[in-house]
Amino acid sequence: MPITALPLLAPFCLLLSGVIAFASPEKRIRSTVRLCEALALVALLIAALSALALAMLGTEVSPLFGLWGTGVSIRLDAVSVTMLLLVSFIGWIVVRYTATYLAREARQAAFSGWLSLTLAAVLMLVLAGNLIQLVLAWIATSLFLHQLLLFYPERPAAQRAARKKFITARLGDLALFGAAVVLGIQYGTTDIGSILEAARSGEGGGLAMAAAALFAAAALLKSAQFPTHGWLTEVMENPTPVSALLHAGVINAGGFLLIRFADVMLLAPTVLAVLVVVGGFTALFGGLVMLTQPAVKTSLAWSTVAQMGFMVLQCGLALFPLALLHIVAHSLYKAHSFLASGGAVETIAANRRPGPVAIPKAGAVARAFLLALAIYVVIGLVFGFEHKSPQAIALGAILIFGVAYMLAQGLADAAPRALTRLTIVYAVATSVGYFALQQVAVWLTASVLPLTPAPGALEWTLIALAVLSFGVVAVVQAMFPLWAYHPAAAGLRVHLSNGFYTNAIFDRMLGGWRVAGHTAPKSNSTGA
């Protein structure tokens, strides 16, 4: 077997795990679950060996295993190996967590089977070397996930969320299928490497731009972008491992698609502009709604909506290496957040507040923003601003607004000095980490992903709009405790907590929802 086919063993292990889980008798469920965990660990080890092979051999493409030009091929490069390691690691963690979480569930074996098949499909997607494999793995991922979303089929809320996800996913499937057909016609091949090489040289024309638009549509639908985000905030009636897998893994497929076909996307600047607008608005919208959610899992779901919007924004700015870095960081954070959410709630409930909460006033917020920008400029000069694209500098400014929000808590009048020192240390560490990880991401993907092009008039306008919008929202968030409970803000808070009812509008577009023995509630807009 050629070394380039080694990564194929990872999804094979998970596929085998799924088959074993479905075929296992109920009395052997414990040993079956342990075997599934072992095979997931083997898949992770294969992913690590694949990363080593990439370091030794560089980018490689396996032969096509199939007939008549159709089959399985593996593209081994920095993007696919990064996603392979990420999905394999999170998959192993989730499978291991499931063994305890569902220990007394009657259908634990079936759950493990669908979980393993979903992971196998995701791995086939990120490793795909041809368009046919990519489309089939994309569709299979969604169909297998659908079974996990309906693990408790008797729950009306689960059926509603699964139905909305199913319809949205099918629209995304059609968009991706259309993009694959258009690319196949334009470039005369289904090999992804050949298509990317031709696109990087400027070939493609109008058909390539059409394909980029279809890729963008598929990614926006897959990533739960406004206004089709509602299903993601409603997926709360399934086991916690499903939420961890969905929010930390499957939801990233849209971003991966944009990153994988970055060379094609650069041929359509207008499409990239649409991604900036939709992604930026979704990030701001999701971030504001998240502040008003009382339930931890619902808050995390809205956080994912916002984070996926920010990732789409990065792709729209042609910062594809940073978008890949964002996927890795967000996936690890969100998997931990969901799997540890129950324990975190218990810990917070058990702790007593030592005193009043330090609420930053306008002066503290202003000082925080000035200090954050000063830290960003100083550290940026050390790393070399002259080597950064305007898009990357603007993205760093947006991220530093989040640092300013943290600093505002430490600079509040009632904040203890220890908190002030700690927030300043965190602010410096965050800025250093951004520039350092940015350089690592660009270096690792230099031979795979295109450089960020110089911005034109449209791009400069979008950059300025993004920085201004995120800056205003950051100030609003920092001062949120001052106005959140003011009588004049009470109505706004209610509307925000319901996501301005866009989910209810989406429900009506789908003709409402009905399940056996139930009808849609008239007053529930978010379903959370």
Side-chain angles (χ1 to χ4, degrees):
M1 182 186 68
I3 190 65
T4 50
L6 173 65
L8 189 60
L9 294 178
F12 176 78
C13 286
L14 293 166
L15 177 63
L16 178 62
S17 174
V19 172
I20 292 174
F22 285 119
S24 173
E26 186 175 343
K27 62 182 180 180
R28 297 183 56 189
I29 189 170
R30 293 185 61 184
S31 59
T32 299
V33 170
R34 285 197 295 267
L35 181 57
C36 290
E37 180 185 339
L39 287 172
L41 179 58
V42 172
L44 175 58
L45 295 176
I46 292 172
L49 291 175
S50 300
L52 180 61
L54 174 66
M56 296 174 59
L57 302 176
T59 299
E60 295 283 346
V61 179
S62 75
L64 182 69
F65 302 100
L67 298 173
W68 303 297
T70 302
V72 175
S73 60
I74 301 301
R75 180 170 179 81
L76 189 68
D77 61 17
V79 173
S80 62
V81 166
T82 298
M83 296 299 296
L84 175 64
L85 282 169
L86 177 66
V87 175
S88 299
F89 176 69
I90 292 178
W92 172 61
I93 295 296
V94 171
V95 170
R96 183 178 175 84
Y97 183 91
T98 301
T100 303
Y101 186 86
L102 296 177
R104 290 177 175 81
E105 286 280 353
R107 299 176 55 234
Q108 184 179 7
F111 182 91
S112 298
W114 289 119
L115 178 61
S116 297
L117 291 181
T118 303
L119 290 169
V122 174
L123 292 186
M124 291 298 293
L125 170 67
V126 301
L127 292 171
N130 64 84
L131 293 175
I132 297 175
Q133 177 185 339
L134 180 83
V135 172
L136 293 178
W138 175 283
I139 297 174
T141 298
S142 179
L143 294 178
F144 293 149
L145 177 65
H146 186 74
Q147 299 300 319
L148 293 174
L149 296 180
L150 288 175
F151 184 70
Y152 297 122
E154 71 281 0
R155 299 181 179 181
Q159 294 191 34
R160 175 176 59 170
R163 176 175 177 262
K164 292 172 69 173
K165 169 66 172 68
F166 187 85
I167 294 173
T168 304
R170 298 295 73 76
L171 294 174
D173 296 344
L174 288 175
L176 180 60
F177 178 77
V181 171
V182 171
L183 286 182
I185 293 174
Q186 172 61 38
Y187 295 106
T189 180
T190 61
D191 180 70
I192 292 177
S194 300
I195 292 172
L196 295 180
E197 184 177 353
R200 184 168 294 194
S201 65
E203 300 177 24
L207 286 179
M209 294 176 65
L214 290 170
F215 278 139
L220 292 175
L221 289 165
K222 195 75 166 183
S223 301
Q225 296 299 282
F226 185 91
T228 61
H229 59 279
W231 64 268
L232 185 61
T233 62
E234 293 181 350
V235 184
M236 296 296 152
E237 291 293 328
N238 47 64
T240 297
V242 179
S243 297
L245 176 64
L246 172 60
H247 289 261
V250 178
I251 196 71
N252 294 319
F256 167 77
L257 183 68
L258 297 175
I259 295 168
R260 169 53 77 206
F261 291 95
D263 294 289
V264 177
M265 300 306 298
L266 288 181
L267 298 176
T270 303
V271 175
L272 293 179
V274 171
L275 291 178
V276 171
V277 174
V278 176
F281 180 81
T282 303
L284 295 172
F285 174 74
L288 288 173
V289 175
M290 178 190 68
L291 293 176
T292 65
Q293 300 303 306
V296 61
K297 286 190 176 181
T298 307
S299 178
L300 287 173
W302 279 103
S303 168
T304 298
V305 171
Q307 291 292 337
M308 289 299 99
F310 197 70
M311 181 268 300
V312 169
L313 168 69
Q314 291 171 312
C315 291
L317 292 174
L319 297 170
F320 297 105
L322 297 188
L324 182 62
L325 175 63
H326 184 99
I327 286 178
V328 174
H330 174 259
S331 296
L332 296 175
Y333 152 71
K334 198 53 64 73
H336 174 268
S337 296
F338 269 102
L339 297 180
S341 58
V345 171
E346 294 175 359
T347 300
I348 293 175
N351 291 334
R352 299 182 62 183
R353 290 180 177 176
V357 178
I359 299 178
K361 297 181 180 180
V365 172
R367 292 194 301 272
F369 273 81
L370 290 175
L371 179 58
L373 289 174
I375 292 173
Y376 178 63
V377 170
V378 171
I379 295 178
L381 290 173
V382 172
F383 278 88
F385 270 130
E386 66 274 10
H387 304 302
K388 309 296 180 186
S389 66
Q391 293 94 322
I393 295 175
L395 182 69
I398 292 174
L399 291 176
I400 211 66
F401 292 149
V403 173
Y405 171 77
M406 177 179 64
L407 280 172
Q409 317 306 311
L411 295 179
D413 296 335
R417 294 192 175 217
L419 178 61
T420 302
R421 290 193 297 268
L422 190 61
T423 53
I424 293 176
V425 170
Y426 282 164
V428 173
T430 300
S431 300
V432 172
Y434 169 71
F435 283 105
L437 291 175
Q438 180 192 82
Q439 290 188 346
V440 172
V442 171
W443 174 71
L444 286 176
T445 60
S447 62
V448 181
L449 297 178
L451 296 174
T452 303
L458 176 61
E459 288 77 15
W460 275 114
T461 302
L462 291 173
I463 289 172
L465 180 62
V467 173
L468 178 62
S469 301
F470 278 90
V472 170
V473 171
V475 173
V476 171
Q477 286 182 323
M479 301 184 68
F480 182 75
L482 293 176
W483 60 265
Y485 298 99
H486 191 279
L492 177 61
R493 185 181 179 89
V494 171
H495 298 321
L496 267 177
S497 65
N498 286 278
F500 288 107
Y501 313 101
T502 53
N503 202 18
I505 297 173
F506 188 48
D507 280 337
R508 290 189 178 184
M509 291 174 60
L510 297 179
W513 62 274
R514 294 181 182 277
V515 295
H518 300 274
T519 57
K522 296 181 180 179
S523 60
N524 187 356
S525 60
T526 65

